[in-house]
Amino acid sequence: MTRRILLSLACLAIACGDDDTSPIDGGASDSEPPFFDAGESDAGRDAGPPPAPSQPATAPFVQWVDPLIGTGGLGFGVGSVSPAPQTPFGFARPAPDTTQPDGAPGFNHCAGYYHPDTLIDGFSQVRAHGMGIAEYGFVALMPTDGMTAAKTNDVGYRRGFSHDDETSAVGYYSVTLDDGIRAELTASDHVAFHRYTFPSEADATVIVDLGHHLGDVEIQEADVHVDAEAREVWGSVLGGGGYARRRGGVRVYFVARFDRDFAAHGVFADGTLAEGENERTGSTAGAWVRFEGDAAEVAVGLSFTDLEGARTNLDAQLAPFDEVRAATEARWEALLSRVRVSARGDEELRVFYSSLYRSLLMPTLAMDVDGRYRGLDHEVHQIPLVEGTPSFRYSTDHSLWDTYRTQIPLLSWLYPELQRDMVLSLLQMATDGGYLPRWPLGTNYTGGMVGDGAALQLADAAIKGVEGVDWDEALRLARITADAPTPVGAVFGGRAGIEPFMERGWVGIEEASSSASWTLEVAYADYAMARLAEHRGETTLAEGYDERAGNWRNLWDPASEFLVGRHADGRFAPTSENMWEDYYAEGNSWQYLFFVPHDLEGLATQMGGNEVFLQRLERFFTESTRDTSVLFPNRWYWHGNEPDIHAPFAFAAVGAPEGTWRWSRWVARTYYDATPNGLPGNDDAGTLSAWYVFAALGVYPITAMDRYVVAAPLVTHADVDLPGGGTLVIDAPESSDRAWRVDAVRWNDAPYPSTWIEHASLAEGGTLTFDMVE
């Protein structure tokens, strides 16, 4: 079942559901948060179970990561997470691609692996993390017992497996197939490493299938070549899913080098074997090699640039399997150990560190070790070298509509050196392609989703002090799409309806799909542009963007009291409140009602004051508790998607923090756990995971603002190593599902009554203490 079918079923379910006609103002709830089963007595819910003792996470911190969290789920609750071992923001992501005997819905397999499956139909090398559409899944390897024509596609060579025979850890994956063959995987930045162990009686064979892909990805071209003397299979694959095909697909080059001589080999295409031959082309091309003995290792070098790049990457990173695994694990340990938390039990520690880990999986490294890369103009370019090393790591696969909300500010705060690489990558894309991207995938602009997430990322990094960026040039490049239509011929980017937005103040329904979302997103992006201009001393320019940032008010419909789509002639469109409308991107009027993150106080005034704002916000969450299933989108607060994920923190943003204490904990407890179903939807390149990291630490960002909402920690203690050398201590020793209220907050032992804290304070370090009470 595709996402479109799921969406249709979701809309049908909503349309046929209970039509709640209670007043929209609602009442602030005096009840306890629904952390416990609804069947418990009021007294039981009020008291709750005794909290488990607090315990610190101990080194190595990689032991607390479970890569299988989020690999399952149903319907809109699929996490689209793969257990692929990889380096932080690496290119190589080798992992099993799984299925069921009668096939499986593509939407469950956007990352290739789906935990409920029982069959493996190959180990591909490249994939995205947390996407809601399938891309990549290129260059599948499959160890097998002998070769026949039936094994020239994945239906013929797939094998069963059990999770009892599976191991997944940071930097490592292994599984024993039902034919007794054991596969182990690890990865460096550009190289996928495979180690296979065969039963002694098996005819040890490895298939290299270039026709393999994920979901509805189409393989358009492929070429495979065997060099038995060099022990290599090499070639390229051109293909793409719904995004990549918009510009002709993405080509990945590979060189697979084995550790032993071939006893036999051959190629195939269209189901026909050609033993002893060395080349084939076509969308079903592949090769196979056979070995003497019961073990074989293969390292697969990858490149978006060309075959030379794949070979250069392989030569630079080739090393023994166990050394590569240890090195990758060490890189992860260095990043994860910057945040050392205590929490109430192993599960909370696993959820926290797995979330931090997933926040650092994607974007994707896209340059070769020598700094060569293929840009969004499809030409080969060179990253400047400093003492022979590329001056930054060029990346792609930026899911900006999602990541700007949580992952981007996490990088700005805790990992500014990684944020710098991301920012410089976006600026390089604008230099090569002519304008900033919205959703770059591989070597392509895609024009995916809405808004201008790149502007928000640039502003967030600039105002939070990320160094090594020419911020004047960043402002110049951002203005290309902020102030004018996308350049002629550039059809996959820019801001839809930018001219009417600038002239009239909103994007008309007739002028763009998701017109209301475009208006709201661009208003927020213009707030970010104002902060970037202000950062560069461009006061007049900043004032102009600030004025445009108020264009969200033009969607306020006095009759419905929602932010709704509007026609070009000024008429407001009708809204059914809980139904997805064409003028919204993946949401309804309730889910977009609070999407003015940069001006929540202004939104409250527009609604009639804080009291009305808080009543409606409280109702938004209270209604959400009626159905917490993730099979379909919730009609109210929907944590499985992005437009409303800041809403739990909107209470505190307008000075009423108790709602934030209650509902941020409710979201964390309801939608996150340490199982394969432990995410409430696509992780969207780490967006949902980074949300949990902030919620657990008790502070939450509003992107492109230089301050954070002060919430209530889920953890009992955290020591955060800061890039400037200081340490931030977050201390909430009584925090639990019983003691979720905050009696007092202190900053460096002084009372801290504000519900906001400046970025400069968190970046410099100090002690933020929460006195938590029942």
Side-chain angles (χ1 to χ4, degrees), residues 147-392:
M147 186 64 186
T148 66
K151 295 182 179 181
T152 58
N153 61 65
D154 51 23
V155 174
Y157 59 67
R158 63 179 47 154
R159 299 300 308 189
F161 78 107
S162 167
H163 295 302
D164 293 338
D165 300 318
E166 183 181 44
T167 299
S168 182
V170 171
Y172 179 76
Y173 175 86
S174 71
V175 65
T176 299
L177 305 175
D178 66 1
D179 58 5
I181 298 174
R182 179 174 175 79
E184 299 174 86
L185 309 174
T186 191
S188 62
D189 277 344
H190 301 86
V191 182
F193 293 82
H194 298 237
R195 182 163 63 190
Y196 303 132
T197 304
F198 298 84
S200 58
E201 68 278 8
D203 183 8
T205 302
V206 175
I207 300 168
V208 181
D209 182 5
L210 305 191
H212 178 90
H213 58 83
L214 302 182
D216 64 353
V217 172
E218 295 178 4
I219 302 299
Q220 296 153 265
E221 299 174 5
D223 63 282
V224 65
H225 311 263
V226 180
D227 185 339
E229 184 175 350
R231 302 173 172 173
E232 289 182 352
V233 178
W234 52 272
S236 70
V237 179
L238 173 67
Y243 272 10
R245 285 199 303 269
R246 295 178 181 182
R247 286 194 72 213
V250 172
R251 188 179 293 273
V252 171
Y253 300 86
F254 75 97
V255 176
R257 186 175 298 162
F258 293 81
D259 70 338
R260 60 200 60 219
D261 293 335
F262 303 163
H265 71 272
V267 292
F268 58 82
D270 299 326
T272 302
L273 288 178
E275 184 168 358
E277 295 191 27
N278 299 319
E279 297 182 356
R280 277 296 182 274
T281 61
S283 61
T284 61
W288 57 273
V289 295
R290 185 170 64 81
F291 309 93
E292 300 294 341
D294 60 2
E297 294 188 20
V298 56
V300 186
L302 302 164
S303 175
F304 285 122
T305 310
D306 51 27
L307 188 65
E308 176 189 348
R311 193 176 300 281
T312 299
N313 295 336
L314 177 60
D315 290 339
Q317 296 173 9
L318 189 63
F321 184 99
D322 291 329
E323 289 184 16
V324 174
R325 176 185 177 182
T328 296
E329 183 179 294
R331 288 174 63 180
W332 278 109
E333 182 70 10
L335 295 179
L336 297 175
S337 63
R338 292 189 193 182
V339 186
R340 299 173 299 283
V341 304
S342 299
R344 298 197 181 279
D346 286 358
E347 178 169 0
E348 288 194 27
L349 293 175
R350 288 198 301 271
V351 172
F352 179 85
Y353 282 102
S354 298
S355 296
L356 185 57
Y357 167 79
R358 290 191 303 270
S359 301
L360 303 174
L361 293 176
M362 201 172 92
T364 302
L365 182 64
M367 71 174 194
D368 297 330
V369 293
D370 57 6
R372 295 169 66 246
Y373 70 96
R374 191 170 296 276
L376 298 191
D377 58 354
H378 293 175
E379 300 297 325
V380 176
H381 302 274
Q382 174 70 53
I383 299 296
L385 303 179
V386 177
E387 298 181 354
T389 301
S391 57
F392 71 94

Side-chain angles (χ1 to χ4, degrees), residues 718-754:
D719 294 309
V720 182
D721 290 342
L722 299 167
T727 300
L728 172 68
V729 177
I730 297 171
D731 200 34
E734 301 304 319
S735 177
S736 72
D737 287 350
R738 291 178 62 171
W740 55 270
R741 292 182 172 89
V742 179
D743 185 56
V745 179
R746 297 187 301 281
W747 174 245
N748 293 331
D749 287 332
Y752 194 83
S754 176

Side-chain angles (χ1 to χ4, degrees), residues 2-88:
T2 66
R3 186 170 189 171
R4 181 172 297 175
I5 295 172
L6 284 168
L7 176 57
S8 299
L9 290 174
C11 293
L12 179 62
I14 291 170
C16 297
D18 178 33
D19 181 17
D20 188 341
T21 57
S22 56
I24 63 170
D25 56 1
S29 173
D30 294 324
S31 65
E32 294 300 306
F35 300 147
F36 311 107
D37 292 338
E40 294 186 17
S41 68
D42 288 342
R45 289 180 59 195
D46 188 49
S54 176
Q55 67 179 74
T58 54
F61 294 92
V62 292
Q63 72 178 308
W64 300 105
V65 175
D66 183 352
L68 292 175
I69 295 175
T71 59
L74 291 172
F76 278 79
V78 171
S80 290
V81 175
S82 167
Q86 67 165 94
T87 58

Side-chain angles (χ1 to χ4, degrees), residues 531-614:
R531 303 291 72 76
L532 183 57
E534 193 173 65
H535 180 267
R536 305 316 303 151
E538 298 282 356
T539 304
T540 301
L541 186 62
E543 289 173 352
Y545 283 125
D546 270 329
E547 182 177 352
R548 282 165 43 177
N551 280 352
W552 63 267
R553 292 183 174 86
N554 295 321
L555 296 191
W556 182 259
D557 177 14
S560 68
E561 297 188 319
F562 284 98
L563 296 166
V564 303
R566 197 170 180 183
H567 294 279
D569 63 8
R571 290 176 295 121
F572 289 100
T575 179
S576 55
E577 296 192 14
N578 289 125
M579 284 289 292
W580 282 22
E581 306 282 3
D582 290 341
Y583 50 73
Y584 295 128
E586 301 183 1
N588 61 36
S589 57
W590 272 101
Q591 290 156 356
Y592 273 94
L593 175 58
F594 303 100
F595 188 67
V596 189
H598 59 292
D599 192 11
L600 289 168
E601 291 182 349
L603 178 61
T605 300
Q606 186 74 57
M607 286 188 187
N610 271 19
E611 182 178 356
V612 175
F613 177 87
L614 293 169

